[in-house]
Amino acid sequence: MRPKIVIITLLLGTGVLVLVGLLHGLLNRPEPVEPIAESRATPVELTNPPPITQPEVKPLQPKVEPAETNIIATTPAEDRAGQKEKDLDAISDALVSGNNDSAGAIHAIASRLENEDDEVRTAAREAAVHVGDTNIIPYLTSALDHLKNPREKVAIMDAIAYLQLPSASDQPKPDGAEKSPVDLNAPGVKSARQVKPR
């Protein structure tokens, strides 16, 4: 199309729209209200006007919006992984604080001996052996009764047997062992090389 025809068509369209808008505004004007003329010829009787009823006022109800929370939705797998990390951290903390708070360490380890995650159970069993406190043996025995995996049962029985072994300080010394050990570097002591076989 030619540019002149396009411009003329746009101007005509715009003019028609403006004309329609003006006609619409003129035809839809509200009619002015005529003031009531006072008529002095006819007396107006004064009567009691009907009582004005007040509209019923309803108290404003505050708009209740749901509380905002900072909770992040997670999947069950993420929840299990997070709980597993918390349990492993608690076992590590129990091992670190084992000398200072043995009762707390035993409780932290014993509460995870029957955990649903096998890695946490293994870490708890190894921590029980590492702590070396015989007060954890009843918890190991209880876990032994409740676990179904035979390999875990054997590992717990090994842990119990290890904890029941007497320590070096608890073992009685054989006769003559209370003497100080022989110093092999002392003069007069022959080394194994110097002793001739018979």
Side-chain angles (χ1 to χ4, degrees):
M1 288 175 76
R2 294 183 181 176
K4 290 181 183 178
I5 295 175
V6 172
I7 292 173
I8 290 173
T9 306
L10 287 175
L11 288 175
L12 283 176
T14 305
V16 169
L17 286 175
V18 169
L19 185 62
V20 169
L22 288 174
L23 285 176
H24 181 69
L26 289 174
L27 293 176
N28 289 332
R29 255 191 209 169
E31 294 183 18
V33 179
E34 295 180 15
I36 300 176
E38 291 183 25
S39 62
R40 295 184 183 190
T42 57
V44 178
E45 291 184 25
L46 296 175
T47 60
N48 288 340
I52 299 174
T53 58
Q54 295 289 331
E56 185 176 326
V57 178
K58 295 180 181 177
L60 294 175
Q61 296 292 330
K63 186 175 181 181
V64 178
E65 294 182 15
E68 291 184 25
T69 60
N70 292 333
I71 298 174
I72 298 173
T74 57
T75 63
E78 291 173 333
D79 290 340
R80 282 191 298 274
Q83 185 61 41
K84 176 181 170 182
E85 287 300 316
K86 285 181 186 177
D87 288 336
L88 291 174
D89 288 342
I91 291 171
S92 297
D93 293 343
L95 283 173
V96 170
S97 68
N99 295 335
N100 299 334
D101 182 21
S102 64
I106 289 173
H107 178 69
I109 293 169
S111 65
R112 288 163 178 85
L113 285 170
E114 296 180 39
N115 194 291
E116 63 186 27
D117 190 271
D118 59 341
E119 190 174 340
V120 174
R121 289 192 306 267
T122 303
R125 185 177 60 246
E126 291 172 1
V129 171
H130 185 72
V131 167
D133 193 341
T134 57
N135 291 329
I136 203 163
I137 292 176
Y139 299 107
L140 288 167
T141 306
S142 173
L144 181 67
D145 295 339
H146 295 108
L147 292 176
K148 305 215 181 321
N149 187 340
R151 292 176 193 250
E152 286 186 63
K153 285 186 173 189
V154 169
I156 287 182
M157 286 189 281
D158 289 344
I160 292 171
Y162 177 79
L163 290 172
Q164 288 176 341
L165 288 175
S167 65
S169 61
D170 294 341
Q171 291 181 356
K173 296 180 183 175
D175 291 337
E178 294 180 356
K179 297 178 182 176
S180 62
V182 176
D183 186 11
L184 296 177
N185 296 327
V189 177
K190 294 181 180 179
S191 68
R193 289 184 210 151
Q194 295 174 350
V195 176
K196 294 180 182 178
R198 294 184 189 181

